[in-house]
Amino acid sequence: MKFTRRNFLLGTASSTALIKMWAALNVAEAKIVAGSSNKERKLLDKMVRTLYPHNTFPNGPYDRTTEDVINKGNADAGKMLMMRDGLRDLEKNSFGDLSFNEATKYLKSIEGSPFFNHVRGTSVVTLYNDKEVWDVLGYEGASFDKGGYVNRGFNDLDWLPEPRIEEHPDHANFFVATQNKLAAKQTNANQ
Amino acid sequence: MNIDKNENAIVIIGSGAGGGQMAYQLTKEGIPCVCLEAGPFLKPEDYSNDEWSAFLQMAWLDARGTSGSWRVNKDFPGLPTWLVKAVGGTTTHWAGATPRFLDYEFKTRTTYGDVEGASLLDWPISLKDMEPYYDKAEKAIGSTHRHGRPALPANNNYKVFANGAERVGYKYYATGPYGTNAEPYDGRPGSIQDGFNFQGDKNSSKWSTAVSEIPKALKTGLLDLRPQSHVVQITHNKSGLVDAVIYVDANGDIQRQAAKVICVAGNSIESPRLLLNSASNMFPGGLANSSDQVGRNYMRHMTGSVYARFEKEVNFYRGETMAGFIGDEVINDPSRGFVGGYYMETLALGPAFLSSFLDPGAWGADFAKMMDGYSNIAGMWLVGEDMPQATNRVTLSDSIKDQYGMPAPNVHFDDHPNDIAMRNYAYEKAEALYNSVGAVQIFRTPPYPSTHNLGTNRMSARPEDGVVNKWGQTHDIKNLFVSDGSIMTTGAAANPTLTITALAIRQGEYLVSELKKGNL
Ligand SMILES: Cc1cc2nc3c(=O)[nH]c(=O)nc-3n(C[C@H](O)[C@H](O)[C@H](O)COP(=O)(O)OP(=O)(O)OC[C@H]3O[C@@H](n4cnc5c(N)ncnc54)[C@H](O)[C@@H]3O)c2cc1C
């Protein structure tokens, strides 16, 4: 099996085996793309937003994540069939009309299924790796080209006092002394 | 230097903490050697300051199996460890924590007594034997707080951590000892606090064998470093001495290098796997395995993390990832409900890794709330001694093969009740620490794929108890050595790399003197 970050994050041994079996059916030529219709895309988008609900995130990251869920969910025939069936179930359960709490409850009920694992596993990686999301969360990422954070706030926290950075003067002694004390306690207890 | 493939060379397999150190220890004494490394030689300018792309760039992703009741088997099946395939091995991704073992941690069988289900064993060496080598290792790495190396400054994550420590009554906290320069040392610059350690340090302030020992060894002109050379088997002669290695080179061609001495340093998963994959008629259980201990007693440290969200900003991703230690819990006090101790160490992740590792598989409103507060999060790692168990074990998979058609390793692990008790205790203490400085939401994070991998070729006084003697020389085959973390008899609370380095320096001295005496 070729390793990608996605398949170890979402793969349970059994789902991987199933996907392999389906892939062997080799119906990839059928040119069916699960999740391609507007309606299906909306269902997936809602699923992603229910899994990882952030009011502060713009649409862009959710759109790109949904897109990735669709692309990777059609990577081979097995995945496509898994997606198709998962989407059918969402539709059958009127997932599109459910409130946030109802939608959460429904997802809880399908947690662990290959379809759920695919959507969740892809989403958690793609959504939180999105640069627009990093901006919203306040993560500045790579800094080497800017000279690091040494002059850009690595120590700017000011709501707590400045702590000691050196070791406690007793440090070297502590381990030896404590251990001797504990060993003596042990010996007394055994007597 | 080019060493002829038919020349009986000193061959080192792997160039990480153990192998890279061996290459330098030998070449600096004028002894030529071949170092075969499965991964490429990446330079600091190649490193990527992006969590996922750095991981995919050099993590060891060859096929592997997992089994056992540990949570990693459920969360990351097929990815039991986080190890690196590149020149420098896992020291390219390591953080830099360099505490020493304590005296009692070299004799845990004696100190802890008989712990049910544990295969505890005293080391054949003591802290006293190791002290001079710890000094050398700290100087080689340039550990802060040691031998005149200054402390790193407090970053934001440390400020929360150290203030919490003070409030709950801990005393033994500091920003080190840590293997990253606060000021220029050994030809490498001081830290610019760029926030990337686990991805390789582009600034080279962080020690690794890729930026220190390997370049120094190459400079002697005596090292034949062969990257992208994956060893698949060690062979032996009729008298039972090892005589060559078979490896696959960068072009996919199968090569043979004749050998006079072999040092196996592929880490605690690949080293036992290679010994097992080298079984022969003479050694049907694998090389150096007359004790049946090769692959057993696999340890990965008791680990866990705690992430806490606060009302105000922390921005914990800025600065050195793990430059913060609390040592107060590194004691053996069985009244806590477990033997052995643990460190608390600062830890920061970017949103990409935090979301995947915070609580693998988690989703929903609470999870999103935590991520929304990313700027306000502080984090720490808990790392303590775990119990060796004979059944925690690296074996050859009977179903999975790697890209060369060789049986893949299977890593089996069950937590010992002592590990679980220690983890739960440590979680409570970490939560209390963060609560004392005003945490508003806390996550208990389960273990990541193992970054510390130890014990699978353990050192023992008696040949029947382990695989190697006190020099790391296999009990069964005198010209076969193991030079990595797999030789650790027990794991202690301390992060392992300082000890791996000290052991390799010590083994290097021994090997040089044996070679000079003509004993090998
Ligand atoms: C994210 C992270 C953070 C860490 N932080 C710390 C820390 O703060 N402090 C600490 O003490 N430790 C830390 N560690 C652990 C530390 O990196 C390891 O303990 C150490 O590098 C292990 O040394 P080793 O020699 O056993 O193996 P490695 O360093 O893994 O080296 C093994 C080498 O052998 C090569 N190899 C394997 N098989 C073959 C083969 N068949 N043929 C050829 N080559 C082969 C590999 O490619 C690799 O280069 C961290 C690890 C990680 C992943």
Side-chain angles (χ1 to χ4, degrees), chain B residues 13-19 36-39 60 82-86 88-91 93-97 198 229-231 265-267 270 322 451-452 484-485 495-498 500:
Chain B
I13 303 166
S15 64
L36 299 167
E37 165 56 54
W60 185 285
W82 178 354
L83 287 165
V84 170
K85 186 198 273 193
T90 313
T91 66
H93 275 192
W94 86 314
F198 289 181
S229 299
H230 187 121
V231 179
N267 73 53
E270 293 306 314
M322 202 172 258
T451 55
H452 298 175
D484 59 20
N495 312 59
T497 306
L498 181 75
I500 297 173

Side-chain angles (χ1 to χ4, degrees), chain B residues 173-195:
Chain B
Y173 60 85
T175 58
Y178 196 69
T180 292
N181 295 343
E183 284 172 6
Y185 175 70
D186 202 22
R188 293 176 289 107
S191 166
I192 57 166
Q193 305 281 349
D194 65 22

Side-chain angles (χ1 to χ4, degrees), chain A residues 20-166:
Chain A
K20 270 195 186 147
M21 214 174 73
W22 274 326
L25 292 176
N26 204 14
V27 293
E29 296 299 303
K31 287 205 179 116
I32 304 167
V33 180
S36 61
S37 76
N38 224 349
K39 201 165 92 197
E40 288 175 331
R41 179 180 290 267
K42 270 206 176 119
L43 283 174
L44 286 172
D45 180 75
K46 177 165 178 174
M47 183 165 166
V48 175
R49 286 171 192 265
T50 309
L51 286 167
Y52 298 110
H54 294 276
N55 295 333
T56 49
F57 289 8
N59 289 333
Y62 283 116
D63 289 346
R64 288 187 281 277
T65 302
T66 304
E67 186 72 28
D68 210 36
V69 166
I70 293 169
N71 287 340
K72 292 184 173 137
N74 285 283
D76 59 37
K79 293 217 177 70
M80 188 279 286
L81 294 176
M82 171 272 292
M83 278 274 281
R84 185 200 60 191
D85 293 350
L87 280 161
R88 274 187 195 158
D89 286 343
L90 287 185
E91 218 169 310
K92 214 168 63 204
N93 288 280
S94 316
F95 185 75
D97 304 326
L98 301 182
S99 70
F100 176 76
N101 285 341
E102 289 165 345
T104 299
K105 221 168 125 193
Y106 175 71
L107 292 182
K108 201 85 212 150
S109 77
I110 62 163
E111 193 171 6
S113 69
F115 173 67
F116 177 92
N117 285 349
H118 164 70
V119 180
R120 195 207 65 78
T122 307
S123 301
V124 76
V125 171
T126 306
L127 185 66
Y128 296 106
N129 205 31
D130 192 292
K131 308 291 177 284
E132 226 181 314
V133 161
W134 291 1
D135 283 345
V136 174
L137 295 180
Y139 175 63
E140 298 153 286
S143 66
F144 179 74
D145 293 341
K146 303 182 184 107
Y149 291 109
V150 69
N151 297 314
R152 296 172 51 252
F154 86 104
N155 61 353
D156 63 358
L157 185 150
D158 59 6
W159 50 272
L160 286 167
E162 209 50 44
R164 189 187 77 220
I165 58 171
E166 297 294 343

